[in-house]
Amino acid sequence: METSELQQKLADHLTWLQSDGAEGVRLAVEWRAYLSGADLSGADLRGAYLSGADLSGADLRGAYLRGAYLSGAYLSGADLR
């Protein structure tokens, strides 16, 4: 996924969170979406659908993952601090 596309999806997800779902769009990626090495540090990913995503080597430091769907996600080498 292109960085600009990911940034737009993150912005839409934040709008969705802040409006209690009335606006924006919940972040949902396709099964096996390629997010390897993505910078998701500090992102608010509550309730995001990341099932099956390739998050290998992704920077998730400080990301808020409560309620995120990560079933089957590939997290090898991801920084989850």
Side-chain angles (χ1 to χ4, degrees):
M1 181 177 301
E2 302 257 344
T3 302
S4 59
E5 181 183 0
L6 179 57
Q7 292 302 317
Q8 183 59 53
K9 286 181 179 276
L10 289 171
D12 291 344
H13 183 73
L14 186 58
T15 299
W16 177 81
L17 287 169
Q18 292 171 339
S19 70
D20 291 324
E23 297 178 30
V25 178
R26 177 188 289 202
L27 178 63
V29 297
E30 294 178 15
W31 186 259
R32 295 290 175 223
Y34 184 75
L35 296 171
S36 180
D39 182 4
L40 297 168
S41 58
D44 190 341
L45 299 172
R46 289 176 289 158
Y49 287 104
L50 300 170
S51 296
D54 179 357
L55 293 162
S56 58
D59 184 356
L60 290 157
R61 287 177 295 161
Y64 192 11
L65 296 166
R66 184 177 184 167
Y69 298 88
L70 294 165
S71 175
Y74 185 65
L75 295 164
S76 177
D79 191 343
L80 297 165
R81 286 180 279 167

